Amino acid sequence: MIKQRTIKQSVQETGIGLHKGDKVTMTLRPAPANTGIVFRRVDLEPYADIPARANAVGDTMLCTCISNEQGATISTVEHLASALAGLGIDNIIVEVDSDELPIMDGSASPFIFLLQTAGIQELNAPKRFIKITKPVKVTDGDKWAELRPHDGFRVDFRIDFAHPVISQTRQHMVLDFDSSSYVDEVSRARTFGFMKDLEYMNAHNLALGGSMENAVALDEYRVLNPEGLRYSDEFLKHKILDAIGDLYLGGHSIIGELRAYKTGHGLNNKLLNALLNNQKCWEFVSYETPEALPIRFASPVLSS
């Protein structure tokens, strides 16, 4: 039986919040089977738990923000959620002393490092996957996103930016995770932003913690980061990273194909809710052996 996963031990990291620019301490803790992903605001009295759920998503401007029924919020969850999806971790408690997660370097790679440092352990409960049985599609003007049946997890992803640097890089990719590694192919792709937008965002108290330490910065013609890009198609791969994280707020890995054009956090969440609200389009499945599993995850470090 393919089993649920959590981490072996707690691990802590401190970083900067993207929007407020304040220091944020985050502690990742193991959780029992069937807990899911739970964000815990330890700066509130009493502590507030915010389970990661598709219908908990509110604000999607520049990030994904979720809330609980009492109104407690936590934002910028998508990069950590993407890392959890890439490693197949089902259950974890994420303690934070702020209303946003640390942005780290703008990618999922630091979260991958923390999770692997903590170690991955299997739990004595079957891991359930959401298997797509019929296509589901959502649109927003010329933008669209769709989930289709597929024996594995594959993304067919296209972006369209008129910026001279981005237009010279690959803007369409098909990536199949039965043979490709999330850690190698996607996790290091950083968020990106345009300097012309920064003044507006700062005036609205957004992206106060943004810098070339945690984003790829572009002026009208070029990449400003001295080190350049991590991947030749880093812009495209970061959008894939975001989409994987946004869809993992459904609480389960997806067996199917994600096809998308110019999608963002809001449309990703609209797609996830459209799927979960139409039970004719999906079913829960489990797998008995690793050979039957059509997705590649990192091998767990089994608990002693």
Side-chain angles (χ1 to χ4, degrees):
M1 157 177 88
I2 302 301
K3 298 179 179 180
Q4 293 182 30
R5 292 179 167 190
T6 188
I7 55 176
K8 288 185 66 175
Q9 60 188 1
S10 297
V11 62
Q12 187 175 91
E13 185 61 90
T14 299
I16 298 297
L18 173 62
H19 293 307
K20 290 187 175 180
D22 295 335
K23 184 173 76 171
V24 180
T25 297
M26 176 186 69
T27 305
L28 306 178
R29 299 193 183 278
N34 301 314
T35 299
I37 302 167
V38 178
F39 296 91
R40 178 168 294 162
R41 290 277 305 276
V42 298
D43 59 317
L44 300 178
E45 183 61 44
Y47 294 169
D49 282 354
I50 308 170
R53 297 194 181 106
N55 61 6
V57 174
D59 187 11
T60 55
M61 182 178 180
L62 303 178
C63 70
T64 297
C65 176
I66 63 174
S67 62
N68 64 12
E69 293 178 354
Q70 291 72 43
T73 64
I74 184 74
S75 65
T76 324
V77 301
E78 62 274 11
H79 298 169
L80 174 57
S82 190
L84 294 170
L87 296 177
I89 295 174
D90 310 90
N91 307 289
I92 195 167
I93 304 295
V94 183
E95 294 184 354
V96 285
D97 62 355
S98 177
D99 61 357
E100 61 180 327
L101 265 62
I103 187 62
M104 311 301 279
D105 73 348
S107 77
S109 185
F111 297 113
I112 292 285
F113 174 79
L114 283 173
L115 293 164
Q116 291 180 328
T117 298
I120 301 169
Q121 68 170 332
E122 292 183 335
L123 301 167
N124 193 27
K127 183 179 179 72
R128 296 200 300 173
F129 297 78
I130 294 175
K131 183 177 181 178
I132 309 301
T133 57
K134 293 182 179 180
V136 179
K137 185 174 184 177
V138 295
T139 61
D140 179 12
D142 66 334
K143 305 172 186 177
W144 55 268
E146 180 181 28
L147 285 165
R148 301 181 60 86
H150 175 69
D151 188 25
F153 180 58
R154 180 169 64 193
V155 295
D156 184 335
F157 217 88
R158 187 183 298 272
I159 61 174
D160 185 10
F161 287 91
H163 191 279
V165 170
I166 303 178
S167 64
Q168 292 173 16
T169 69
R170 180 161 54 167
Q171 297 196 73
H172 177 230
M173 172 183 289
V174 178
L175 196 60
D176 204 321
F177 288 94
D178 67 349
S179 58
S180 299
S181 166
Y182 170 89
V183 174
D184 295 336
E185 295 290 338
V186 175
S187 70
R188 296 179 63 248
R190 295 162 293 176
T191 191
F192 56 94
F194 304 96
M195 294 302 295
K196 64 183 178 64
D197 298 328
L198 185 60
E199 184 176 343
Y200 170 83
M201 289 189 290
N202 287 171
H204 290 78
N205 293 318
L206 295 170
L208 298 178
S211 72
M212 283 187 282
E213 298 295 320
N214 52 45
V216 178
L218 299 129
D219 65 11
E220 293 182 3
Y221 307 103
R222 60 198 169 101
V223 172
L224 299 177
N225 303 58
E227 73 278 11
L229 299 176
R230 293 178 176 177
Y231 305 105
S232 61
D233 47 10
E234 188 167 2
F235 309 104
L236 171 62
K237 286 184 173 178
H238 185 78
K239 288 295 187 179
I240 293 173
L241 183 157
D242 276 347
I244 290 172
D246 289 335
L247 292 181
Y248 204 54
L249 295 181
H252 302 274
S253 300
I254 289 176
I255 303 297
E257 180 183 30
L258 169 66
R259 300 179 68 244
Y261 174 64
K262 294 171 63 174
T263 190
H265 297 305
L267 199 58
N268 295 337
N269 182 249
K270 184 178 179 180
L271 175 63
L272 180 58
N273 277 294
L275 172 71
L276 297 179
N277 291 334
N278 190 343
Q279 294 191 1
K280 294 181 180 180
C281 295
W282 63 278
E283 62 184 4
F284 279 126
V285 296
S286 296
Y287 296 91
E288 290 299 318
T289 65
E291 292 75 22
L293 182 65
I295 303 177
R296 282 182 62 189
F297 294 122
S299 298
V301 179
L302 299 179
S303 57
S304 58

